[in-house]
């Protein structure tokens, strides 16, 4: 008995999703740990200090800048 499969549909045009729709904040504060982890680095004292400076300089948007 043949099974029906949905038709393969190609992209309906090249569209790019704007950054403000890609990034969503949960409403919580951004911590230095969040910055370190989003950057792909290990949680070390040196990286936490870097993240604290970055967070102080850029505010919570520092996290958005690191996310793809």
């Amino acid at each position: 008995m043949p099974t029906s499969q949905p038709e393969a549909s190609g992209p309906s045009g090249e569209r790019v999703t704007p950054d403000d729709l890609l990034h969503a904040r949960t409403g919580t504060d951004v911590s230095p740990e969040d910055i370190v982890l989003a950057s792909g680095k290990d949680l070390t004292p040196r990286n936490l200090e870097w993240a604290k400076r970055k967070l102080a300089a850029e505010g919570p948007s520092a996290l958005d800048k690191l996310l793809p």
Side-chain angles (χ1 to χ4, degrees):
M1 176 188 263
T3 59
S4 63
Q5 294 183 356
E7 291 183 22
S9 60
S12 60
E14 294 292 324
R15 293 188 212 152
V16 177
T17 304
D19 278 347
D20 61 337
L21 296 177
L22 292 174
H23 304 293
R25 195 162 315 181
T26 61
T28 60
D29 291 330
V30 177
S31 70
E33 289 84 0
D34 295 332
I35 301 291
V36 172
L37 294 174
S39 70
K41 299 178 182 181
D42 293 326
L43 287 173
T44 64
R46 182 178 179 181
N47 289 340
L48 286 170
E49 285 303 316
W50 165 80
K52 287 177 187 175
R53 290 190 305 273
K54 185 168 184 65
L55 194 54
E58 299 177 23
S61 67
L63 184 61
D64 293 333
K65 294 176 183 177
L66 292 170
L67 297 175

